[in-house]
Amino acid sequence: MSPPCKRCASTRMLNLYTAQRVSVVGSTLIGGAIGAWRATAIPGPLPLAVTRFPLAKLPAAMMGAVAGGQTGSCMATSLFEHWLPVGSGTPWLCLSCGCTYRDAYPPLAPNA
């Protein structure tokens, strides 16, 4: 359960680690699709060999997808590195007021 916001006491919070994971996966998929499309797109009319053997473009599409996926993943990771608040603990974003902060881990109970 998310803690209340330290500024406005709202409970509408977003865990930024989860948001980062989702954005990296989404950016990888979108970048891969764009890379595959760019590698296989040919301006102008399609030659006869391409229309009969569409699998001939499969290696180029795979290489474009891998390169595009890596690019999308790197971009999402670098954006989150600059956006996350510094410090230790779980980063939270308040959806009401927009402030970001880290919630310190709860203290460990001493051994009795």
Side-chain angles (χ1 to χ4, degrees):
M1 184 165 166
S2 64
C5 178
K6 293 182 179 182
R7 186 187 300 173
C8 68
S10 173
T11 56
R12 294 179 16 189
M13 304 293 287
L14 177 66
N15 184 335
L16 291 177
Y17 281 148
T18 304
Q20 181 181 15
R21 287 187 206 116
V22 169
S23 71
V24 167
V25 169
S27 298
T28 302
L29 292 174
I30 291 171
I34 291 171
W37 178 73
R38 284 185 177 172
T40 59
I42 297 176
L46 292 174
L48 183 59
V50 173
T51 58
R52 287 191 184 178
F53 302 106
L55 293 178
K57 289 187 167 187
L58 188 60
M62 291 300 293
M63 288 172 44
V66 168
Q70 289 175 346
T71 303
S73 171
C74 288
M75 287 181 62
T77 302
S78 67
L79 286 173
F80 265 92
E81 283 177 1
H82 295 291
W83 194 38
L84 289 176
V86 293
S88 63
T90 306
W92 294 96
L93 168 69
C94 178
L95 299 176
S96 296
C97 66
C99 72
T100 59
Y101 66 92
R102 286 190 182 261
D103 188 27
Y105 296 113
L108 297 174
N111 293 337

